[in-house]
Each structure stands twice: as C-alpha cells, then as structure tokens.
Amino acid sequence: MTYSIVARDPSTGHLGIAVASRFFAVGGIVPHVRGGIGAAAKQAFVNPLNGVDGLAMLGAGQAPEAIVAELAARDDGRDQRQFHMIDATGRNAAFTGEKCIDWAGHLIADNVSVAGNMLAGPEVIAATLAAYQKTAGKPLAERLLEAMHAGEDAGGDKRGKQSAALVIYRDQDYAWLNIRADDHTDPLEELRRLYAVASERYLYVAETMATRQNPSGMIDRREIDARIAAVEAARIAEGRPSASFATPLKT
C-alpha cells in the first residue's frame, strides 16, 4: 500500500527518503535516517524494528545485504514485510516478502533503491527509478519529488492517495528537511508546495543551525537575513506569489 525511494547523493553524501501511500501519516512510520550512517524504509505490513534496528546495525558497520538477511530471518512475519536501505557509502539492499499484496517488488541501482506494494503494477517503481536517474545534477529533494510524481503518473498505489513525506539528512543527527502531508487529497503536490515554502526561508535558516563541527552554528543573523531578503525581492520582482498560506511577515 506504499511506494518509496531511498537514495544517497554521491556528490554530497546526503541521504533522503520519499514515500507515498493510501494510508494515513505514512511519513511517521516508513522513513528512518541517520546522517552519515544510512537510510531505511520499511513498509507493507510494517515492522518498525526493521527501521530502528536496521540503522543501528548500519551504525555498527554491518553491510546492508547482511542486515536485510538478518532482519528477514528473525521475523516470522517476513513474508508480509518490505524494506530497503542504503548506507553512507552507497551500498544498498532490499527485501520484498512473498505475501506482500500484488503488485509488489523492488529495484536497486547505484546509490538508490525503489520499493512498493499494492501498486498498479511494476511500471510504478520502474518510472520512479527512471525519473530519479534522469535528474542527476539537481538537488536531492527535487530529484526525489520528481521521481515520486513519475511513479504516481504511472499508477502509484492502486487504492489511491492519502499521505506522503520527504526526509533529507546531511551529515548531522537531525534532518535538514522533513516535510509531510499526513491526510491530503493530493499529498505529493502538497509536498511540492511545502518544499517551495521551505525554499523561501526555512532552508536558509537551516544553514545557520549548529553542527558537530560548529556547535554554535551561525549566530550573526545579518548574513542569512540578507540572503532571505534577496530571494524575497527577486520573487516579488518576478511577480511570483509566495507558496505559503501564512500571512506575510512584516518587515
């Protein structure tokens, strides 16, 4: 009842997951990511421990293929599970249980995997992967969103749509971007809007946040305020409306 893409940007090492489903709040149960460690998505008849323990195993240095085999072997419900993961170096692996509801399956390529169940057909994950691979060079968030839209255009979840999520981690223990549409008539389009809103201000603020390398982050707001002001001025000059529903900030 879900399809997802798990990817690593080889140019930056950033990790991301995008997911969509005809299920409530899919972003709360499918994606698990740790910056500099790896990313894992678990779906179908979900076993949350496959994400929690999978990341712990990646952090301990185990290879994705070995982790997937171990997680499946210990779980009596394995035939109804689906999960896929990638580590910080780009190694990846996936598992689709034999009793996952048709159509179900996965694809693995360099630095990316796509998996889904209860889909319109295999063309959903094929289109998702192809779209992601064709957008090399674009920001990871945009590549993931375009890939998911391509999967939806190919049929998506055969029951319809309800929720979607996009999560990206850089090299820290917190997400650089984490946006969700938990109950929406067009969740992927809502993610696109939320990403546009984030691009107006939030992502610039995210650049100021503390990191392990710089525990104080950027404490002089003038530089970031200047960047945001320049982006806002350009948007107004081009006559583009804000993507946000919020009341405009007073300056």
Side-chain angles (χ1 to χ4, degrees), residues 91-106:
R91 297 181 299 174
N92 50 14
F95 175 85
T96 299
E98 294 180 358
K99 293 182 180 178
C100 286
I101 298 175
D102 195 41
W103 188 89
H106 59 261

mmCIF file with all atom_site columns, all heavy atoms in Angstrom, residues 91-106:
data_model
loop_
_atom_site.group_PDB
_atom_site.id
_atom_site.type_symbol
_atom_site.label_atom_id
_atom_site.label_alt_id
_atom_site.label_comp_id
_atom_site.label_asym_id
_atom_site.label_entity_id
_atom_site.label_seq_id
_atom_site.pdbx_PDB_ins_code
_atom_site.Cartn_x
_atom_site.Cartn_y
_atom_site.Cartn_z
_atom_site.occupancy
_atom_site.B_iso_or_equiv
_atom_site.pdbx_formal_charge
_atom_site.auth_seq_id
_atom_site.auth_comp_id
_atom_site.auth_asym_id
_atom_site.auth_atom_id
_atom_site.pdbx_PDB_model_num
ATOM 1   N N   . ARG A 1 91  ? 26.187 1.591   -0.476  1.00 0.00 ? 91  ARG A N   1
ATOM 2   C CA  . ARG A 1 91  ? 25.790 0.184   -0.565  1.00 0.00 ? 91  ARG A CA  1
ATOM 3   C C   . ARG A 1 91  ? 24.312 0.067   -0.187  1.00 0.00 ? 91  ARG A C   1
ATOM 4   O O   . ARG A 1 91  ? 23.873 0.697   0.770   1.00 0.00 ? 91  ARG A O   1
ATOM 5   C CB  . ARG A 1 91  ? 26.630 -0.683  0.379   1.00 0.00 ? 91  ARG A CB  1
ATOM 6   C CG  . ARG A 1 91  ? 28.110 -0.701  0.061   1.00 0.00 ? 91  ARG A CG  1
ATOM 7   C CD  . ARG A 1 91  ? 28.864 -1.599  1.039   1.00 0.00 ? 91  ARG A CD  1
ATOM 8   N NE  . ARG A 1 91  ? 28.728 -1.139  2.416   1.00 0.00 ? 91  ARG A NE  1
ATOM 9   C CZ  . ARG A 1 91  ? 29.187 -1.797  3.484   1.00 0.00 ? 91  ARG A CZ  1
ATOM 10  N NH1 . ARG A 1 91  ? 29.781 -2.979  3.320   1.00 0.00 ? 91  ARG A NH1 1
ATOM 11  N NH2 . ARG A 1 91  ? 29.043 -1.295  4.703   1.00 0.00 ? 91  ARG A NH2 1
ATOM 12  N N   . ASN A 1 92  ? 23.567 -0.744  -0.922  1.00 0.00 ? 92  ASN A N   1
ATOM 13  C CA  . ASN A 1 92  ? 22.141 -0.847  -0.630  1.00 0.00 ? 92  ASN A CA  1
ATOM 14  C C   . ASN A 1 92  ? 21.635 -2.266  -0.780  1.00 0.00 ? 92  ASN A C   1
ATOM 15  O O   . ASN A 1 92  ? 22.304 -3.138  -1.350  1.00 0.00 ? 92  ASN A O   1
ATOM 16  C CB  . ASN A 1 92  ? 21.314 0.133   -1.470  1.00 0.00 ? 92  ASN A CB  1
ATOM 17  C CG  . ASN A 1 92  ? 21.632 0.066   -2.949  1.00 0.00 ? 92  ASN A CG  1
ATOM 18  O OD1 . ASN A 1 92  ? 22.280 -0.868  -3.406  1.00 0.00 ? 92  ASN A OD1 1
ATOM 19  N ND2 . ASN A 1 92  ? 21.172 1.045   -3.706  1.00 0.00 ? 92  ASN A ND2 1
ATOM 20  N N   . ALA A 1 93  ? 20.441 -2.516  -0.242  1.00 0.00 ? 93  ALA A N   1
ATOM 21  C CA  . ALA A 1 93  ? 19.821 -3.837  -0.297  1.00 0.00 ? 93  ALA A CA  1
ATOM 22  C C   . ALA A 1 93  ? 18.328 -3.674  -0.055  1.00 0.00 ? 93  ALA A C   1
ATOM 23  O O   . ALA A 1 93  ? 17.877 -2.654  0.486   1.00 0.00 ? 93  ALA A O   1
ATOM 24  C CB  . ALA A 1 93  ? 20.435 -4.765  0.751   1.00 0.00 ? 93  ALA A CB  1
ATOM 25  N N   . ALA A 1 94  ? 17.564 -4.692  -0.452  1.00 0.00 ? 94  ALA A N   1
ATOM 26  C CA  . ALA A 1 94  ? 16.108 -4.621  -0.311  1.00 0.00 ? 94  ALA A CA  1
ATOM 27  C C   . ALA A 1 94  ? 15.528 -6.010  -0.111  1.00 0.00 ? 94  ALA A C   1
ATOM 28  O O   . ALA A 1 94  ? 16.139 -7.024  -0.469  1.00 0.00 ? 94  ALA A O   1
ATOM 29  C CB  . ALA A 1 94  ? 15.490 -3.960  -1.541  1.00 0.00 ? 94  ALA A CB  1
ATOM 30  N N   . PHE A 1 95  ? 14.332 -6.047  0.450   1.00 0.00 ? 95  PHE A N   1
ATOM 31  C CA  . PHE A 1 95  ? 13.614 -7.306  0.687   1.00 0.00 ? 95  PHE A CA  1
ATOM 32  C C   . PHE A 1 95  ? 12.131 -7.071  0.448   1.00 0.00 ? 95  PHE A C   1
ATOM 33  O O   . PHE A 1 95  ? 11.557 -6.100  0.950   1.00 0.00 ? 95  PHE A O   1
ATOM 34  C CB  . PHE A 1 95  ? 13.834 -7.790  2.120   1.00 0.00 ? 95  PHE A CB  1
ATOM 35  C CG  . PHE A 1 95  ? 13.034 -9.016  2.489   1.00 0.00 ? 95  PHE A CG  1
ATOM 36  C CD1 . PHE A 1 95  ? 13.507 -10.282 2.196   1.00 0.00 ? 95  PHE A CD1 1
ATOM 37  C CD2 . PHE A 1 95  ? 11.797 -8.900  3.110   1.00 0.00 ? 95  PHE A CD2 1
ATOM 38  C CE1 . PHE A 1 95  ? 12.771 -11.415 2.525   1.00 0.00 ? 95  PHE A CE1 1
ATOM 39  C CE2 . PHE A 1 95  ? 11.048 -10.020 3.443   1.00 0.00 ? 95  PHE A CE2 1
ATOM 40  C CZ  . PHE A 1 95  ? 11.539 -11.284 3.147   1.00 0.00 ? 95  PHE A CZ  1
ATOM 41  N N   . THR A 1 96  ? 11.504 -7.960  -0.310  1.00 0.00 ? 96  THR A N   1
ATOM 42  C CA  . THR A 1 96  ? 10.054 -7.944  -0.506  1.00 0.00 ? 96  THR A CA  1
ATOM 43  C C   . THR A 1 96  ? 9.519  -9.332  -0.201  1.00 0.00 ? 96  THR A C   1
ATOM 44  O O   . THR A 1 96  ? 9.891  -10.302 -0.858  1.00 0.00 ? 96  THR A O   1
ATOM 45  C CB  . THR A 1 96  ? 9.677  -7.561  -1.950  1.00 0.00 ? 96  THR A CB  1
ATOM 46  O OG1 . THR A 1 96  ? 10.160 -6.240  -2.239  1.00 0.00 ? 96  THR A OG1 1
ATOM 47  C CG2 . THR A 1 96  ? 8.165  -7.588  -2.140  1.00 0.00 ? 96  THR A CG2 1
ATOM 48  N N   . GLY A 1 97  ? 8.676  -9.439  0.823   1.00 0.00 ? 97  GLY A N   1
ATOM 49  C CA  . GLY A 1 97  ? 8.121  -10.728 1.209   1.00 0.00 ? 97  GLY A CA  1
ATOM 50  C C   . GLY A 1 97  ? 7.175  -11.302 0.170   1.00 0.00 ? 97  GLY A C   1
ATOM 51  O O   . GLY A 1 97  ? 6.504  -10.561 -0.556  1.00 0.00 ? 97  GLY A O   1
ATOM 52  N N   . GLU A 1 98  ? 7.103  -12.625 0.139   1.00 0.00 ? 98  GLU A N   1
ATOM 53  C CA  . GLU A 1 98  ? 6.314  -13.310 -0.877  1.00 0.00 ? 98  GLU A CA  1
ATOM 54  C C   . GLU A 1 98  ? 4.814  -13.042 -0.759  1.00 0.00 ? 98  GLU A C   1
ATOM 55  O O   . GLU A 1 98  ? 4.074  -13.201 -1.728  1.00 0.00 ? 98  GLU A O   1
ATOM 56  C CB  . GLU A 1 98  ? 6.564  -14.814 -0.801  1.00 0.00 ? 98  GLU A CB  1
ATOM 57  C CG  . GLU A 1 98  ? 7.991  -15.223 -1.168  1.00 0.00 ? 98  GLU A CG  1
ATOM 58  C CD  . GLU A 1 98  ? 8.194  -16.722 -1.078  1.00 0.00 ? 98  GLU A CD  1
ATOM 59  O OE1 . GLU A 1 98  ? 7.229  -17.429 -0.687  1.00 0.00 ? 98  GLU A OE1 1
ATOM 60  O OE2 . GLU A 1 98  ? 9.293  -17.189 -1.402  1.00 0.00 ? 98  GLU A OE2 1
ATOM 61  N N   . LYS A 1 99  ? 4.340  -12.652 0.430   1.00 0.00 ? 99  LYS A N   1
ATOM 62  C CA  . LYS A 1 99  ? 2.919  -12.424 0.632   1.00 0.00 ? 99  LYS A CA  1
ATOM 63  C C   . LYS A 1 99  ? 2.532  -10.947 0.644   1.00 0.00 ? 99  LYS A C   1
ATOM 64  O O   . LYS A 1 99  ? 1.404  -10.603 0.991   1.00 0.00 ? 99  LYS A O   1
ATOM 65  C CB  . LYS A 1 99  ? 2.458  -13.094 1.927   1.00 0.00 ? 99  LYS A CB  1
ATOM 66  C CG  . LYS A 1 99  ? 2.528  -14.623 1.880   1.00 0.00 ? 99  LYS A CG  1
ATOM 67  C CD  . LYS A 1 99  ? 2.010  -15.243 3.165   1.00 0.00 ? 99  LYS A CD  1
ATOM 68  C CE  . LYS A 1 99  ? 2.088  -16.765 3.111   1.00 0.00 ? 99  LYS A CE  1
ATOM 69  N NZ  . LYS A 1 99  ? 1.620  -17.384 4.385   1.00 0.00 ? 99  LYS A NZ  1
ATOM 70  N N   . CYS A 1 100 ? 3.460  -10.065 0.274   1.00 0.00 ? 100 CYS A N   1
ATOM 71  C CA  . CYS A 1 100 ? 3.098  -8.655  0.114   1.00 0.00 ? 100 CYS A CA  1
ATOM 72  C C   . CYS A 1 100 ? 2.047  -8.561  -0.995  1.00 0.00 ? 100 CYS A C   1
ATOM 73  O O   . CYS A 1 100 ? 2.131  -9.266  -2.007  1.00 0.00 ? 100 CYS A O   1
ATOM 74  C CB  . CYS A 1 100 ? 4.332  -7.825  -0.249  1.00 0.00 ? 100 CYS A CB  1
ATOM 75  S SG  . CYS A 1 100 ? 5.471  -7.557  1.126   1.00 0.00 ? 100 CYS A SG  1
ATOM 76  N N   . ILE A 1 101 ? 1.086  -7.683  -0.804  1.00 0.00 ? 101 ILE A N   1
ATOM 77  C CA  . ILE A 1 101 ? -0.053 -7.636  -1.723  1.00 0.00 ? 101 ILE A CA  1
ATOM 78  C C   . ILE A 1 101 ? 0.376  -7.127  -3.099  1.00 0.00 ? 101 ILE A C   1
ATOM 79  O O   . ILE A 1 101 ? 1.084  -6.124  -3.229  1.00 0.00 ? 101 ILE A O   1
ATOM 80  C CB  . ILE A 1 101 ? -1.172 -6.761  -1.135  1.00 0.00 ? 101 ILE A CB  1
ATOM 81  C CG1 . ILE A 1 101 ? -1.655 -7.385  0.188   1.00 0.00 ? 101 ILE A CG1 1
ATOM 82  C CG2 . ILE A 1 101 ? -2.336 -6.624  -2.108  1.00 0.00 ? 101 ILE A CG2 1
ATOM 83  C CD1 . ILE A 1 101 ? -2.678 -6.553  0.922   1.00 0.00 ? 101 ILE A CD1 1
ATOM 84  N N   . ASP A 1 102 ? -0.064 -7.832  -4.123  1.00 0.00 ? 102 ASP A N   1
ATOM 85  C CA  . ASP A 1 102 ? 0.260  -7.540  -5.508  1.00 0.00 ? 102 ASP A CA  1
ATOM 86  C C   . ASP A 1 102 ? -0.257 -6.134  -5.923  1.00 0.00 ? 102 ASP A C   1
ATOM 87  O O   . ASP A 1 102 ? -1.304 -5.708  -5.434  1.00 0.00 ? 102 ASP A O   1
ATOM 88  C CB  . ASP A 1 102 ? -0.388 -8.612  -6.383  1.00 0.00 ? 102 ASP A CB  1
ATOM 89  C CG  . ASP A 1 102 ? 0.143  -8.636  -7.790  1.00 0.00 ? 102 ASP A CG  1
ATOM 90  O OD1 . ASP A 1 102 ? 1.359  -8.481  -7.958  1.00 0.00 ? 102 ASP A OD1 1
ATOM 91  O OD2 . ASP A 1 102 ? -0.674 -8.785  -8.715  1.00 0.00 ? 102 ASP A OD2 1
ATOM 92  N N   . TRP A 1 103 ? 0.492  -5.391  -6.779  1.00 0.00 ? 103 TRP A N   1
ATOM 93  C CA  . TRP A 1 103 ? 1.809  -5.738  -7.215  1.00 0.00 ? 103 TRP A CA  1
ATOM 94  C C   . TRP A 1 103 ? 2.832  -5.273  -6.195  1.00 0.00 ? 103 TRP A C   1
ATOM 95  O O   . TRP A 1 103 ? 2.742  -4.162  -5.678  1.00 0.00 ? 103 TRP A O   1
ATOM 96  C CB  . TRP A 1 103 ? 2.113  -5.104  -8.594  1.00 0.00 ? 103 TRP A CB  1
ATOM 97  C CG  . TRP A 1 103 ? 3.398  -5.620  -9.145  1.00 0.00 ? 103 TRP A CG  1
ATOM 98  C CD1 . TRP A 1 103 ? 3.568  -6.738  -9.921  1.00 0.00 ? 103 TRP A CD1 1
ATOM 99  C CD2 . TRP A 1 103 ? 4.699  -5.090  -8.938  1.00 0.00 ? 103 TRP A CD2 1
ATOM 100 N NE1 . TRP A 1 103 ? 4.897  -6.929  -10.213 1.00 0.00 ? 103 TRP A NE1 1
ATOM 101 C CE2 . TRP A 1 103 ? 5.605  -5.930  -9.625  1.00 0.00 ? 103 TRP A CE2 1
ATOM 102 C CE3 . TRP A 1 103 ? 5.201  -4.014  -8.235  1.00 0.00 ? 103 TRP A CE3 1
ATOM 103 C CZ2 . TRP A 1 103 ? 6.994  -5.714  -9.635  1.00 0.00 ? 103 TRP A CZ2 1
ATOM 104 C CZ3 . TRP A 1 103 ? 6.571  -3.792  -8.230  1.00 0.00 ? 103 TRP A CZ3 1
ATOM 105 C CH2 . TRP A 1 103 ? 7.440  -4.624  -8.927  1.00 0.00 ? 103 TRP A CH2 1
ATOM 106 N N   . ALA A 1 104 ? 3.855  -6.108  -5.966  1.00 0.00 ? 104 ALA A N   1
ATOM 107 C CA  . ALA A 1 104 ? 4.886  -5.746  -5.010  1.00 0.00 ? 104 ALA A CA  1
ATOM 108 C C   . ALA A 1 104 ? 6.250  -6.140  -5.559  1.00 0.00 ? 104 ALA A C   1
ATOM 109 O O   . ALA A 1 104 ? 6.401  -7.179  -6.201  1.00 0.00 ? 104 ALA A O   1
ATOM 110 C CB  . ALA A 1 104 ? 4.642  -6.439  -3.674  1.00 0.00 ? 104 ALA A CB  1
ATOM 111 N N   . GLY A 1 105 ? 7.242  -5.301  -5.285  1.00 0.00 ? 105 GLY A N   1
ATOM 112 C CA  . GLY A 1 105 ? 8.599  -5.609  -5.724  1.00 0.00 ? 105 GLY A CA  1
ATOM 113 C C   . GLY A 1 105 ? 9.523  -4.441  -5.461  1.00 0.00 ? 105 GLY A C   1
ATOM 114 O O   . GLY A 1 105 ? 9.125  -3.409  -4.913  1.00 0.00 ? 105 GLY A O   1
ATOM 115 N N   . HIS A 1 106 ? 10.779 -4.592  -5.852  1.00 0.00 ? 106 HIS A N   1
ATOM 116 C CA  . HIS A 1 106 ? 11.764 -3.532  -5.638  1.00 0.00 ? 106 HIS A CA  1
ATOM 117 C C   . HIS A 1 106 ? 12.797 -3.533  -6.759  1.00 0.00 ? 106 HIS A C   1
ATOM 118 O O   . HIS A 1 106 ? 12.952 -4.526  -7.481  1.00 0.00 ? 106 HIS A O   1
ATOM 119 C CB  . HIS A 1 106 ? 12.453 -3.695  -4.276  1.00 0.00 ? 106 HIS A CB  1
ATOM 120 C CG  . HIS A 1 106 ? 13.180 -5.007  -4.106  1.00 0.00 ? 106 HIS A CG  1
ATOM 121 N ND1 . HIS A 1 106 ? 12.625 -6.080  -3.425  1.00 0.00 ? 106 HIS A ND1 1
ATOM 122 C CD2 . HIS A 1 106 ? 14.399 -5.421  -4.538  1.00 0.00 ? 106 HIS A CD2 1
ATOM 123 C CE1 . HIS A 1 106 ? 13.483 -7.088  -3.426  1.00 0.00 ? 106 HIS A CE1 1
ATOM 124 N NE2 . HIS A 1 106 ? 14.559 -6.714  -4.104  1.00 0.00 ? 106 HIS A NE2 1
#
